Amino acid sequence: MMEILFGFLGVLVGSAIPWVKEEWHRRRSLNENGRILAVRLTSMLDEYAQKCVAVVYDDGTSEGSPAGRGEQGEEYYLPQIETPEPPKFPDDADWHSIPFGLTYRIMALSNAAIETDRFIGHSADVACYPDYDELFSARQEGYAHLGLEALNLVVILRKEFGFPDLPKKFWDWGWDARKFLQEKLTEFQKRRQISETANAAMIAEMESVRGPANE
């Protein structure tokens, strides 16, 4: 009986070994593909983030003055930096080699960029001469969100695949792009809160004046 049992176990182990070896090689290959893809993606996302930063910095001025000038010499604010194309990821990317949730966020960035550009276009249609505040607010806030998401994805990819620390740049002056973009978003949030508070106060005042008039 024991001989039969051991023989049966031997057959099971013998048949399992090739599967285990194949699965081990598959997982190793998948991990290597993931690391290579992660390197490519971090490079692309970092480049895209820097382009987003340039858009956020663009306030429509040149050398401290409004960049636009009309036929009569009148000045107006004019964008100096073109918005970048939405991220286009490699066609040969093996998306199965990185976690599904991370893949979803990376792919969603392109759609977010398209939606942001669409909103910027609508804002340009209603922007008022000469400062075009609606246009610049849409550009700066929208691309602050996009740039921050791109940089966050870089951090996640580096951590997920155990990237080594990059050597310190000899021109590094301590500027933090993520901090800059986050501060910009906080600035827009505060401006929106101030505007909403002012609008609420104005509405309350109008209603208080209307109340006695209707009595």
Side-chain angles (χ1 to χ4, degrees):
M1 184 66 180
M2 293 298 294
E3 293 179 356
I4 296 175
L5 179 61
F6 282 125
F8 179 69
L9 290 176
V11 171
L12 287 178
V13 172
S15 61
I17 288 177
W19 179 86
V20 171
K21 290 176 62 177
E22 182 179 345
E23 180 64 13
W24 181 80
H25 284 297
R26 187 188 71 82
R27 289 180 178 273
R28 181 178 180 182
S29 175
L30 196 63
N31 186 58
E32 287 301 314
N33 290 342
R35 288 171 66 87
I36 294 172
L37 177 58
V39 170
R40 298 171 68 186
L41 290 174
T42 53
S43 178
M44 295 174 63
L45 289 167
D46 187 63
E47 180 182 4
Y48 179 73
Q50 300 312 314
K51 292 178 180 179
C52 291
V53 168
V55 175
V56 177
Y57 257 118
D58 182 12
D59 60 359
T61 65
S62 178
E63 298 181 353
S65 300
R69 188 172 296 275
E71 294 180 358
Q72 304 301 321
E74 66 275 16
E75 294 181 332
Y76 59 93
Y77 291 83
L78 181 69
Q80 299 299 287
I81 301 295
E82 291 187 8
T83 55
E85 291 289 327
K88 295 180 179 179
F89 301 110
D91 294 332
D92 62 343
D94 181 6
W95 294 105
H96 294 91
S97 63
I98 62 177
F100 173 78
L102 187 52
T103 297
Y104 177 77
R105 283 184 62 175
I106 293 172
M107 299 294 287
L109 184 62
S110 294
N111 288 335
I114 293 172
E115 293 176 3
T116 298
D117 287 340
R118 187 178 297 122
F119 178 72
I120 291 172
H122 293 323
S123 299
D125 292 337
V126 300
C128 298
Y129 175 91
D131 57 2
Y132 297 111
D133 182 64
E134 296 85 354
L135 169 61
F136 284 100
S137 293
R139 281 167 53 94
Q140 292 177 336
E141 185 173 13
Y143 273 87
H145 276 294
L146 294 172
L148 189 60
E149 174 66 359
L151 290 176
N152 286 338
L153 288 170
V154 169
V155 171
I156 295 171
L157 282 166
R158 288 177 56 84
K159 182 178 180 180
E160 178 71 28
F161 291 94
F163 285 12
D165 292 333
L166 293 172
K168 187 177 180 64
K169 303 181 181 71
F170 68 86
W171 65 86
D172 188 0
W173 57 89
W175 184 76
D176 188 335
R178 293 179 71 196
K179 181 179 179 181
F180 165 72
L181 294 174
Q182 187 59 67
E183 288 177 347
K184 270 294 181 180
L185 291 175
T186 301
E187 177 185 322
F188 276 106
Q189 183 178 9
K190 289 181 178 178
R191 285 171 56 181
R192 189 172 292 109
Q193 290 173 345
I194 292 173
S195 177
E196 290 174 354
T197 301
N199 289 338
M202 182 178 66
I203 292 173
E205 183 178 355
M206 291 174 62
E207 290 179 348
S208 65
V209 171
R210 185 184 307 161
N214 293 333
E215 293 178 358

